[in-house]
Amino acid sequence: MRLAGAPTVGVLALQGGVSEHASVLEGLGARVVLVRRPEHAAGPDGPRVDALVLPGGESGVIDRLSRRLGIADSLRDLILAGIPTLGTCAGLILLAERVADPAPGQQSLRVLDVTVRRNAFGAQVASREAEFVLAPGTADAGSQTGTEPGTTVRGALIRAPEITAVGGAARPIAYVDGRVVGAASTTLPVTGVAFHPEVSRDPVLHRMLLDQIDGSAAVTARIAPRVHRTADA
């Protein structure tokens, strides 16, 4: 059962930049739950979080752990049910429908209609911060508000993936040097970016995630039995 009061955001806490996301979310007034097992995100009474964050890190490690610990299927069901979700860097790879160059055995949740290529912006030493202009109306899917024209977000590119193709169920929302580094689903409140706004402590995307919660509530209620079955499995 979701808790009354402050929105509850589950941050996948298997590896990577978990504390940075938690700090930004708590600064916006959200309650953070670290998701390490399926029951942290959903239980017999349905979803236990109002939104999800999939952080950066090593995408192959996060994928393997999420499947080994039985979390991957629960995350996929929650996201397809309409739980607002933000993925950054490795989180974007986890959300992607297609990974062009997966590590051996690597899989993804296949909920965002994009193709990604890992480590497209070079090694760790090539890391840099940049300011990204978000496409107007970025938060339209399931949200009460969309971004205004000219809205920017500052983030760090660290061994970042590139979005090399965007399918019909998604649209690009951010570019750098003419390359796509952010996309949003047109059917679900799901956003994935190649950069790390949590490192720059820019709250624009996290605030957008919280804004999407109200619009997703009705959808989530309709699919609670499906999530229930997954949690019991």
Side-chain angles (χ1 to χ4, degrees), residues 5-197:
T8 300
V9 181
V11 179
L12 185 62
L14 302 181
Q15 192 260 348
V18 176
S19 61
E20 292 86 348
H21 279 292
S23 176
V24 174
L25 289 163
E26 289 170 346
L28 293 173
R31 182 179 306 168
V32 172
V33 171
L34 301 184
V35 177
R36 296 190 174 97
R37 296 196 298 270
E39 59 267 32
H40 294 157
D45 48 355
R48 291 176 173 168
V49 297
D50 299 298
L52 286 167
V53 170
L54 310 184
E58 295 288 342
S59 63
V61 172
I62 296 173
D63 165 56
R64 284 196 300 275
L65 286 175
S66 68
R67 287 186 284 120
R68 185 176 302 168
L69 297 172
I71 302 173
D73 287 343
S74 292
L75 292 177
R76 178 175 161 81
D77 279 347
L78 283 168
I79 295 169
L80 292 177
I83 291 286
T85 302
L86 170 65
T88 63
C89 197
L92 164 65
I93 298 171
L94 200 61
L95 292 171
E97 180 73 30
R98 300 164 293 275
V99 181
D101 56 345
Q106 183 173 1
Q107 300 178 25
S108 66
L109 298 177
R110 297 177 289 107
V111 293
L112 182 59
D113 189 9
V114 298
T115 302
V116 296
R117 182 168 67 90
R118 300 180 307 138
N119 304 326
F121 287 87
Q124 193 95 6
V125 293
S127 302
R128 61 186 167 110
E129 280 201 15
E131 194 161 78
F132 305 91
V133 179
L134 297 180
T138 290
D140 283 349
S143 176
Q144 301 300 306
T145 60
T147 51
E148 298 292 332
T151 299
T152 62
V153 58
R154 189 162 188 83
L157 287 165
I158 305 172
R159 297 180 60 201
E162 177 185 9
I163 297 173
T164 58
V166 180
R171 66 190 184 96
I173 62 165
Y175 300 85
V176 65
D177 302 331
R179 302 160 76 177
V180 181
V181 291
S185 171
T186 59
T187 59
L188 295 167
V190 174
T191 302
V193 294
F195 52 88
H196 294 266

